[in-house]
């Protein structure tokens, strides 16, 4: 079975631009979460979606938005990019919302903002 | 306040030796979950092991075991018989119940280098 997939793998943008990152969860997984990992730090939670509804949001500005589609894939959008948005963006999926449901992560999208 | 603390930024361990990675956490909830993930240089986060706050026995998964000391709020990862492929960043993470079992809160990580 395919794992979590993300596209693109790498992306270079300039300040002020916007970016859309895409994620396809493992088949059968209805929950998708997004994390930002700045170099040298642990991942920081951005959003969680379950059954196309936003279930959680981290401490990120409104420039960050996301959505989940009927097929449970998801997009993360970032507007008005800043240099500090340069990071590895990780998508994770899980089957449900039970405590023991571990999250399976994708390979990430490495965003560089110049 | 930092919810997950990993005090060891980096460690060297010899092949076939065991290594313990420290993790302490801070929560006032009774119900929570603790996770360990491995992140190789490729960037993908690989799930290793899970411990629920109500689990009385320490979790084990192959060469990985979690030393769970609830009263001390400690969840150390033990890797037995280290292999060269174990070289990676290791992250401890917690999920608290009020987050609808959603977000994971990660520590800063510990870089492990396994030497021959």
């Amino acid at each position: 079975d395919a794992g979590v997939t993300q596209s693109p793998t790498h992306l270079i943008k300039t300040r002020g631009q916007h970016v859309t990152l895409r994620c396809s969860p493992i088949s059968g997984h209805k929950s998708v979460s997004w994390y930002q990992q700045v170099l040298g730090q642990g991942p920081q939670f951005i959003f969680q979606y379950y059954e196309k509804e936003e279930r959680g949001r981290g401490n990120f500005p409104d420039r960050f938005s996301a959505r989940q589609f009927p097929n449970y894939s998801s997009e993360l959008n970032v507007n008005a990019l800043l240099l500090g948005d340069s990071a590895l963006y990780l998508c994770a999926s899980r089957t449900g919302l039970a405590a023991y449901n571990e999250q399976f992560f994708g390979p990430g999208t490495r965003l560089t903002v110049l | 306040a930092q919810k997950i603390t990993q005090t060891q930024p980096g460690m060297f361990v010899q092949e076939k030796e065991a290594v313990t990675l420290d993790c302490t956490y801070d929560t006032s909830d009774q119900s929570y979950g603790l996770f360990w993930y491995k992140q190789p240089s490729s960037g993908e986060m690989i799930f290793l092991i899970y411990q629920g706050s109500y689990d009385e026995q320490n979790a084990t998964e192959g060469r990985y075991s979690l030393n769970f000391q609830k009263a001390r709020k400690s969840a150390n990862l033990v890797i037995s018989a280290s292999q060269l492929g174990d070289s990676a960043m290791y992250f401890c993470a917690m999920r608290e119940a009020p987050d609808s079992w959603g977000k994971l809160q990660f520590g800063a990580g510990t870089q492990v280098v396994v030497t021959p």
Side-chain angles (χ1 to χ4, degrees):
Chain A
D1 283 343
V4 178
T5 58
Q6 293 186 243
S7 62
T9 307
H10 294 85
L11 204 51
I12 299 175
K13 292 284 189 178
T14 56
R15 282 178 296 175
Q17 287 188 310
H18 73 271
V19 67
T20 298
L21 310 181
R22 294 179 176 82
C23 170
S24 292
I26 293 171
S27 177
H29 286 195
K30 299 180 180 180
S31 172
V32 169
S33 297
W34 287 95
Y35 291 81
Q36 180 197 65
Q37 187 178 18
V38 172
L39 192 64
Q41 298 181 16
Q44 296 291 317
F45 173 77
I46 311 175
F47 284 110
Q48 189 211 9
Y49 278 78
Y50 179 73
E51 288 279 19
K52 294 163 284 181
E53 290 187 9
E54 182 182 304
R55 292 300 189 101
R57 183 184 184 113
N59 189 24
F60 280 81
D62 292 343
R63 299 184 296 107
F64 289 77
S65 64
R67 55 179 176 167
Q68 187 176 33
F69 299 100
N71 66 354
Y72 303 113
S73 67
S74 178
E75 281 183 356
L76 175 70
N77 294 283
V78 187
N79 293 324
L81 285 167
L82 303 174
L83 295 180
D85 295 332
S86 295
L88 179 68
Y89 288 84
L90 294 163
C91 173
S93 76
R94 49 201 287 240
T95 53
L97 298 180
Y100 52 83
N101 291 152
E102 71 264 25
Q103 291 188 343
F104 295 89
F105 283 82
T109 293
R110 196 165 295 278
L111 172 65
T112 302
V113 182
L114 302 176
Chain B
Q2 194 72 10
K3 290 276 191 174
I4 298 288
T5 303
Q6 295 180 253
T7 57
Q8 307 151 308
M11 299 181 71
F12 285 93
V13 58
Q14 269 200 310
E15 203 175 1
K16 299 179 186 176
E17 297 282 308
V19 60
T20 298
L21 307 183
D22 296 340
C23 172
T24 56
Y25 58 92
D26 180 27
T27 182
S28 56
D29 294 329
Q30 296 301 310
S31 185
Y32 52 90
L34 297 159
F35 300 77
W36 277 92
Y37 282 85
K38 170 184 177 182
Q39 188 177 43
S41 55
S42 60
E44 185 169 353
M45 300 285 281
I46 302 167
F47 167 75
L48 296 178
I49 197 165
Y50 165 81
Q51 179 85 40
S53 58
Y54 293 119
D55 295 340
E56 294 187 352
Q57 297 216 339
N58 287 341
T60 60
E61 289 284 351
R63 294 186 298 111
Y64 305 106
S65 60
L66 198 152
N67 184 2
F68 181 45
Q69 298 187 45
K70 194 170 183 177
R72 299 179 62 182
K73 294 188 176 178
S74 154
N76 297 340
L77 177 72
V78 180
I79 306 174
S80 62
S82 295
Q83 302 172 355
L84 295 178
D86 293 335
S87 294
M89 280 290 285
Y90 288 81
F91 290 96
C92 178
M94 176 174 64
R95 177 182 293 147
E96 297 175 293
D99 293 320
S100 300
W101 300 102
K103 73 177 183 182
L104 288 172
Q105 301 173 76
F106 286 84
T110 296
Q111 179 74 51
V112 172
V113 176
V114 181
T115 59

